[in-house]
Amino acid sequence: MNTIDVFSPIDGKLLKSYLVSSSDEITESIHLARDAAQLWADKTVKQRLACISILKQKLVTDCDSITDQIVAVTGKVKTEVVIGEIYPLLEMLSFYENNATKILAKQSVSTSPMAFPNAKAHYQYQPFGVVAVISPWNFPFQLTLYPLLSALIAGNAIIFKVSELSLPIGELIMQLIAELDLPDGLVHWVVGGSETGAYLIDQRPDLIFFTGGHATGCRVMASAAQHPVPVILELGGKDTMLVFADAHKQRAVNAVMYGAFSNSGQVCVSVEQLYVEQTIFNSFVDQLCQAANKLKVGHGDKGDLGVISSKAQLALIQSHYQDAIAKGAKASGPLSINGSYVTPVILWNITDDMRILQEETFGPLLVVIPFDDETDVIERINKSEFGLSASIWSQNTSRAEHVANQLEVGNWAINDVIKNTGHPRLPFGGVKNSGFGRYHGAEGLRSFCYTVSGLISQSRYVQEPNWFPYSNNSYQAMRAYLDTLFSSDNLWYRLKRNWPALRYYQKYSALHLTQHWQNFIIIILRKLN
Ligand code: NAD
């Protein structure tokens, strides 16, 4: 039996060993989930919400113990856990409690009286069935539970896989799930790393919700394409902050500290590149360096920045720093690494060939670049392969909004940073190499359903005008129908030239006018001659 040992990123001690799920267990989980999905989908949205309703209170009352468990696995500071791992879930649950029924309600649509006389039409949202949620290590609790709960509310069963670095969080999630009033077999946790994730995809869940790096996302999509299974990909970013000279400077400096260094920069929407208008560049960099020097590393309730949770990430941060310095970057200080703690560094004198400008760093390094011209800086930002999020800082919010609307990103904020991505009503997701598909908000809840469209005909005719047999008359009638409906000249002229051919349809309901009305139309048309 394979096992995975999970070590504390704080002191390297063994936290716990986990048995990797066998292929038989994963296959069995899919079968059980598929059976349970049927029962669950039959419940109303209100009933589903009632079944999970105690979770909100649990997250509040057990906040300390949940926080401690997340701190032990990730090495985050406690406030970071409450803000980033717990609070967004509470906002989401409250929003869906009040709105999910409406969001997922059947939608009636009007039908053309000519094409579908007296018919009724609607569309409705059908849960996919079994949703596989695959999540990363940086916010292992929130980034698993947010899609998991959204998919549940939408009526699906779930198989989830947390990162191999975060297995105790998978266990914690299963403990919380066990306290909910859910049908047996509705939620399953599979334990493992990349092979387990790949095997899970090959078992053909009905939807894959993947959050992780770009390279893994491409592999997930390639495997999913073999079946095919639809995928939503929430991938990495290289987020930008753009500061104009008229910005509120102290607020912008403090925001940079938070945007670039919260969770030690291990946030998909971390600010990794900061563009500052040339006229304030030097003084702004001075202020940034002073502010960065005041930040403290620590864990638990001490410090602002926790550890770098993954050893591979630590090595990448070091290589980005060394590459930039070797190519002429200036830095606020040396890259100070103590165990897994890394103190934040501001870098400037940046050139395009530096890796730190091309690749996601996912650590506490921030590059600062001056700009003169608005159009040039927008063009430069849009050259990035990533397109997750951006923030624009100016007291002229109309100008900032104009700039925001030209950026190729899935999310933006003006005069705020990161917090916007937790807004429960705003759909969240990326473009370009940052992925596609949305969760959060109304659109995000519907992402866990496919749309089914329905039409109810009221016709009692044995034949519809578009059915066989075809003839020259049917062709001329169809031409006349298109000309009457879609040409742009006056309706009377359209009717006048097409009426003879349109009479082909008179036996059908759309033109089943009484003889009296037909005669009336003919008289009017003759008068128009
Ligand atoms: P990762 O891509 O290495 O792993 C993510 C998950 O995929 C893990 O559970 C992993 O075990 C699994 N996995 C690996 N190979 C797989 C395969 N072949 N098939 C199926 N599953 C497989 O990512 P990570 O290092 O855990 O997380 C960091 C990355 O996640 C960063 O790039 C970050 O930007 C990104 N991220 C994106 C968002 C977002 O919402 N856009 C949020 C957080 C993190």
Side-chain angles (χ1 to χ4, degrees), residues 273 275 352 357-358 376-386 407-408 432:
Q273 40 184 351
Y275 290 87
D352 285 348
L357 206 58
Q358 315 296 340
D376 289 349
V377 76
I378 292 168
E379 200 176 304
R380 184 161 187 188
I381 293 166
N382 283 342
K383 274 193 189 146
S384 168
E385 290 176 357
F386 294 102
L407 298 178
E408 294 164 0
K432 304 202 279 191

Side-chain angles (χ1 to χ4, degrees), residues 197-342:
Y199 185 80
L200 171 59
I201 293 169
D202 281 338
Q203 297 315 294
R204 301 186 67 164
D206 302 301
L207 172 73
I208 297 159
F209 187 97
F210 172 83
T211 309
H214 171 257
T216 318
C218 292
R219 279 198 290 279
V220 164
M221 193 168 169
S223 312
Q226 303 307 309
H227 303 294
V229 176
V231 292
I232 295 174
L233 298 182
E234 299 290 346
L235 309 179
K238 187 85 196 162
D239 282 6
T240 303
M241 184 162 166
L242 186 53
V243 179
F244 285 103
D246 71 340
H248 184 319
K249 288 194 201 45
Q250 195 53 55
R251 178 175 165 80
V253 167
N254 293 338
V256 175
M257 292 301 114
Y258 177 71
F261 302 133
S262 62
N263 206 36
S264 294
Q266 302 163 107
V267 185
C268 56
V269 287
S270 280
V271 176
E272 295 209 355
Q273 40 184 351
L274 169 63
Y275 290 87
V276 179
E277 200 162 356
Q278 181 73 68
T279 51
I280 60 162
F281 184 79
N282 289 337
S283 62
F284 202 80
V285 170
D286 283 348
Q287 279 181 279
L288 290 176
C289 294
Q290 282 169 30
N293 283 338
K294 288 187 194 147
L295 295 176
K296 304 234 171 328
V297 294
H299 87 273
D301 49 13
K302 303 212 166 45
D304 308 299
L305 282 73
V307 300
I308 299 302
S309 312
S310 132
K311 286 210 169 71
Q313 205 57 47
L314 202 55
L316 184 78
I317 294 164
Q318 266 177 306
S319 68
H320 277 193
Y321 177 85
Q322 284 157 0
D323 174 75
I325 296 297
K327 289 173 180 159
K330 294 202 165 129
S332 58
L335 185 66
S336 153
I337 301 179
N338 180 5
S340 301
Y341 292 100
V342 180

Side-chain angles (χ1 to χ4, degrees), residues 74 76 135-140 163 165-166 266 309-310 313 362:
T74 60
K76 291 172 194 255
S135 59
W137 49 261
N138 63 326
F139 286 86
S163 162
L165 301 177
S166 322
Q266 302 163 107
S309 312
S310 132
Q313 205 57 47
F362 223 53

